[in-house]
Amino acid sequence: LRAKFKDDPKRLNLEMAALYKKEGVSPLGGCLPQLLQLPIMIGLYVLFNEHFALKNAVFIPGWIDDLSVPESIARLPFTIPILGWNYLRLLPIIMLGTQLLSTFFTQAQTSAGDNRMKYLPYVMMGVFFFILYNLPSGLVLYWTVQNILTVFQMMLQRYVSERKGKTVVRSI
């Protein structure tokens, strides 16, 4: 479509919208779930910081001993400049790995002209890693579980689509 309507952007948008409708793809399919999670994340952040019953709530003894504080597996002998990190945290690294899998399964197919947009999900992964690194482990655990559920959902969707003989269309 881009090659066919490269001189007419208005017609290109109309044809792309018609293609999305025909194939059952929502242009907001990739962004909307994350936008819907934002109020939940804010609520969990407030809950883990202010709810007294969650203080010292052990989730995995020896690793996540308190859901209201960041977990750590080792104290670094130095502080990382600019970031001020002095603990090695495993949960944000696991979250980054699950986010990578989730992005792989949900990322839209990009054409040669969309090279800049192709890297945006990976930039967002880095941003979320730095934001969530020192936040309560309950919040990072929530984000990690959401990533795992997203991967499972996309794998199930692909399996069902392949069983029906349909081609799998990734969300945009």
Side-chain angles (χ1 to χ4, degrees), residues 17-25:
L19 179 64
Y20 290 156
K21 188 174 183 178
K22 177 184 167 201
E23 294 294 330
V25 175

Side-chain angles (χ1 to χ4, degrees), residues 13-97:
N13 288 336
L14 289 172
E15 293 295 326
M16 289 289 274
L19 179 64
Y20 290 156
K21 188 174 183 178
K22 177 184 167 201
E23 294 294 330
V25 175
S26 172
L28 297 176
C31 300
L32 191 60
Q34 289 191 357
L35 288 176
L36 292 176
Q37 288 182 31
L38 193 58
I40 295 170
M41 286 190 64
I42 292 169
L44 283 174
Y45 179 77
V46 170
L47 181 74
F48 284 123
N49 282 324
E50 295 181 6
H51 198 279
F52 184 73
L54 291 175
K55 300 286 183 190
N56 299 319
V58 178
F59 184 70
I60 299 174
W63 178 29
I64 303 175
D65 291 325
D66 189 351
L67 289 172
S68 64
V69 297
E71 55 81 35
S72 65
I73 56 171
R75 182 175 175 84
L76 299 174
F78 55 88
T79 300
I80 297 175
I82 298 175
L83 299 173
W85 296 349
N86 53 359
Y87 286 97
L88 179 61
R89 305 192 192 290
L90 183 60
L91 199 54
I93 295 169
I94 293 171
M95 184 268 315
L96 187 65

Side-chain angles (χ1 to χ4, degrees), residues 88-121:
L88 179 61
R89 305 192 192 290
L90 183 60
L91 199 54
I93 295 169
I94 293 171
M95 184 268 315
L96 187 65
T98 59
Q99 186 73 30
L100 181 65
L101 279 173
S102 175
T103 300
F104 172 75
F105 279 106
T106 59
Q107 186 178 17
Q109 295 287 347
T110 57
S111 67
D114 289 341
N115 282 335
R116 291 178 298 167
M117 293 301 287
K118 178 170 64 174
Y119 298 110
L120 183 62

